[in-house]
Amino acid sequence: MATDSLFGNYRIILASASPRRKELLQQIGLKAEIIPSKFEENLPKSSFPTPADYVIATAKGKACEVFGKNKDAIVIGADTVVVIDNKILEKPSDAQCARTMLSELSGRVHHVLTGVCICYQDIKHTFHVDTEVQFTELSPDLIDWYVGTGEPFDKAGGYGIQGKGAILVDRIAGCYFNVVGLPLQKLHSELSHILG
């Protein structure tokens, strides 16, 4: 039976409060219910061998928490972090933290990793995508201006490539949508494989 929604014959839940992830799913025609996960995002980063292992574990925790109450659905959980010098940068807690993060990223290459977990029936499938991002040199005035916009505070690494933060980025190598918060092509590919 044809439907105007991608995977429209399935109940799909996004276990995230992120407006960006919701918009990305809508962009590709995937209708999902939004049920933010109550999973505590406080896993000890040092206990994971790599940042990829950390984002996958966090994404799995989010997805499994929501799936536990919605066994009839496909649940998608995701977590995005910025990594520089093998150090994980999440969302800045205040303006000074945002300034420090942006100064650290200035003129350098960093990686944006998104871990994704798809829970469906007895399947708990995980993967991650890594995008390389090169920042331009940021002056103190530019950093102060950007922090003053308020944009850094709900974004990993303290910037949003899809917003005003676009002027901070010189180039990327890899999936743009991954930097925004959800690697759309890989997600579609993995869902297609699972649903066969």
Side-chain angles (χ1 to χ4, degrees):
M1 175 166 81
T3 173
D4 63 348
S5 175
L6 190 60
F7 305 114
N9 296 325
Y10 296 91
R11 179 179 177 222
I12 298 175
I13 297 172
L14 176 63
S16 174
S18 167
R20 289 166 300 283
R21 290 192 180 112
K22 177 184 177 185
E23 289 165 7
L24 288 172
L25 291 182
Q26 290 172 338
Q27 178 179 325
I28 62 169
L30 200 156
K31 292 181 183 167
E33 296 172 46
I34 307 301
I35 302 179
S37 175
K38 293 181 174 74
F39 177 75
E40 292 288 330
E41 295 184 51
N42 59 2
L43 297 173
K45 295 174 189 68
S46 61
S47 68
F48 293 91
T50 68
D53 294 318
Y54 171 78
V55 291
I56 287 170
T58 303
K60 188 173 183 180
K62 291 178 182 181
C64 289
E65 189 276 325
V66 172
F67 185 68
K69 300 173 194 139
N70 296 277
K71 298 279 191 180
D72 64 324
I74 299 166
V75 177
I76 302 166
D79 189 54
T80 302
V81 297
V82 166
V83 178
I84 189 162
D85 299 330
N86 215 36
K87 180 171 76 174
I88 295 172
L89 304 180
E90 294 189 275
K91 298 170 186 171
S93 55
D94 57 34
Q96 187 51 50
C97 182
R99 282 186 193 89
T100 300
M101 284 184 184
L102 293 167
S103 296
E104 193 169 357
L105 297 173
S106 176
R108 299 184 62 203
V109 171
H110 63 273
H111 293 261
V112 178
L113 276 67
T114 299
V116 178
C117 179
I118 301 166
C119 295
Y120 177 59
Q121 297 176 347
D122 60 348
I123 298 166
K124 290 177 180 54
H125 178 69
T126 60
F127 64 91
H128 83 281
V129 173
D130 181 340
T131 302
E132 185 179 279
V133 180
Q134 168 76 54
F135 258 31
T136 190
E137 291 286 343
L138 308 180
S139 69
D141 286 346
L142 180 57
I143 290 172
D144 285 343
W145 170 82
Y146 185 62
V147 171
T149 69
E151 194 173 89
F153 300 110
D154 67 339
K155 294 168 184 70
Y159 75 95
I161 194 171
Q162 73 284 2
K164 295 175 181 75
I167 65 171
L168 312 178
V169 177
D170 182 50
R171 62 179 174 77
I172 71 167
C175 178
Y176 165 82
F177 300 106
N178 185 55
V179 183
V180 179
L182 205 55
L184 294 179
Q185 189 284 323
K186 180 74 169 170
L187 176 63
H188 175 263
S189 174
E190 298 296 318
L191 277 170
S192 297
H193 179 73
I194 289 167
L195 301 175

